[in-house]
Amino acid sequence: MAVTNRSDIEVIDYLLRAESDVKEVVKITDQYPDLSIDEAYDLQKKLIERRMEKTKTKRLGIKLGLTSKAKQEMMGVHEAIYGYLLSDMLALEWEPLQQHRLIHPKAEPEIAFIMGEDLMGEEVTADDVMKAAKYVVAAIEVIDSRYKDFRFTLPDVVADNCSSAKLILGSKMVKPEELDLASIGMVMSKNGEIVATGAGSAVLGHPAEAVAWAVQKLAKRGEGLKKGDIVLSGALSEAIAFDMDDTIIAQFDGLGSVTLSSRYVK
Ligand code: OOG
Ligand code: MG
C-alpha cells in the first residue's frame, strides 16, 4: 500500500477540506508518488462514504471522465475513469450556481442517462445500457478539481472523485431508442458566443459504450448501476472555464438545451 490505512483518512479529509474551504491544494501524489489507480479507487470510495456522512447526502448516480481519445491522449492514459454523483451536486437550471462555493469551475456538455433498471455485470454491453436506461437528457457537468491549477495525475483525479462538483439537467426527457446518440451534434455557448462543439461519438464512439465500460469496472468492485441513477457519460468537448455572471448554454440535436448561470449569491 502506498498510502497506509491511518493516512487514508488524512488524505480524504485533506481533499474534503479543500472542497468545503473552497481552496485548491497540492496534489496527493506529490506525497504518495506510488499511489496506484486501484488504491486511488479505494480512496475514492472511502471519500464518498465520508462525504455522504458529513453532508447528509445520498447517492445520485455515476459519472464518467476522460472518455474522449483526445482527452486520454492529453493525460497519457488509455482508460476512462468514473466517480460518484451525490444528491447535493444536483443544481437547477433556474437557480444560479453559487460561484463563491467553487474553486475554479469548468463546464462540460454531456449526455445523461436515467436508469430505469438496475444494471450490473462484467459482460454488460452498450445494448444492455440502452435497454436499461429509461431516458436520456441534455446535461452540463461542472467539474472543479480540488488540485492546484487543475493539474493532476490519473490516481490524483480518481481519488478526488474525478473532479465532480455539480450537474444540471435539461428538462426534455427522451427515450434512448428514439435518438442516434452517436451522431447527435452539440453546440455550447458562453454569453452568446460559441465556445465548443462536439458529437455523441466523441464519447468512446457512443455514450452507451462509455456507460457499459463503467458498469464493467464497477462490477469488478461488486457494484453496479441502480434504478433511478443518473449517469453522466462524459464530456462531448473540452471543459470551458466560467466566472461570475457568465451564462453557458449547451444545445443538443433532439435533446434540447440546458443552461448554467453563475452569480455571487450567499
Ligand atoms: C476529470 C473529469 C473529466 C469528463 O467528462 O471528461 C470529466 C477532469 O478533467 O478534471 O468529467
Ligand atoms: Mg464530465
Side-chain angles (χ1 to χ4, degrees), residues 178-200:
E178 282 174 16
L179 289 173
D180 176 2
L181 291 179
S183 64
I184 279 184
M186 183 287 307
V187 176
M188 189 158 84
S189 66
K190 179 159 112 178
N191 306 327
E193 261 177 55
I194 293 176
V195 285
T197 56

Side-chain angles (χ1 to χ4, degrees), residues 63-65 108 110 141 143 234-235:
K63 67 155 280 180
L64 282 104
E108 297 182 320
E110 306 211 9
E141 184 185 23
I143 50 171

Side-chain angles (χ1 to χ4, degrees), residues 63-67 71 81 108 110 141 143 150 152 157 162-163 234-235:
K63 67 155 280 180
L64 282 104
L66 312 186
T67 47
K71 214 159 170 178
I81 51 178
E108 297 182 320
E110 306 211 9
E141 184 185 23
I143 50 171
F150 237 106
F152 41 70
V157 67
C162 303
S163 312

Side-chain angles (χ1 to χ4, degrees), residues 121-242:
E122 289 192 42
E123 312 286 315
V124 162
T125 64
D127 264 357
D128 299 330
V129 171
M130 294 294 278
K131 283 188 196 117
K134 192 164 187 186
Y135 299 114
V136 286
V137 191
I140 292 178
E141 184 185 23
V142 174
I143 50 171
D144 194 27
S145 173
R146 268 52 71 172
Y147 300 121
K148 199 168 175 322
D149 304 325
F150 237 106
R151 296 178 74 88
F152 41 70
T153 67
L154 203 61
D156 285 308
V157 67
V158 166
D160 185 31
N161 194 30
C162 303
S163 312
S164 304
K166 296 280 176 191
L167 70 148
I168 302 163
L169 299 180
S171 50
K172 186 172 173 183
M173 308 260 171
V174 180
K175 292 201 185 311
E177 66 272 15
E178 282 174 16
L179 289 173
D180 176 2
L181 291 179
S183 64
I184 279 184
M186 183 287 307
V187 176
M188 189 158 84
S189 66
K190 179 159 112 178
N191 306 327
E193 261 177 55
I194 293 176
V195 285
T197 56
S201 58
V203 182
L204 292 183
H206 191 294
E209 289 288 351
V211 179
W213 174 87
V215 175
Q216 293 165 14
K217 285 293 276 191
L218 284 163
K220 291 195 167 65
R221 291 181 164 258
E223 292 185 54
L225 296 180
K226 296 185 180 154
K227 180 178 175 178
D229 268 356
I230 296 171
V231 185
L232 289 177
S233 58
L236 273 65
S237 74
E238 76 268 40
I240 302 293
F242 63 88

Side-chain angles (χ1 to χ4, degrees), residues 49-109:
E49 280 162 10
R50 198 160 167 87
R51 193 187 177 289
M52 285 202 290
E53 209 179 276
K54 278 193 161 179
T55 52
K56 309 258 181 297
T57 45
K58 287 191 285 204
R59 170 193 169 117
L60 188 70
I62 296 289
K63 67 155 280 180
L64 282 104
L66 312 186
T67 47
S68 75
K69 281 274 163 283
K71 214 159 170 178
Q72 289 184 7
E73 269 163 29
M74 217 172 77
M75 290 282 300
V77 297
H78 310 285
E79 240 196 14
I81 51 178
Y82 71 84
Y84 294 85
L85 300 171
L86 301 181
S87 48
D88 65 346
M89 295 179 184
L90 187 64
L92 303 171
E93 271 196 304
W94 55 89
E95 244 176 31
L97 284 184
Q98 302 188 339
Q99 186 80 23
H100 71 289
R101 298 296 313 153
L102 299 163
I103 304 168
H104 39 205
K106 295 182 185 181
E108 297 182 320

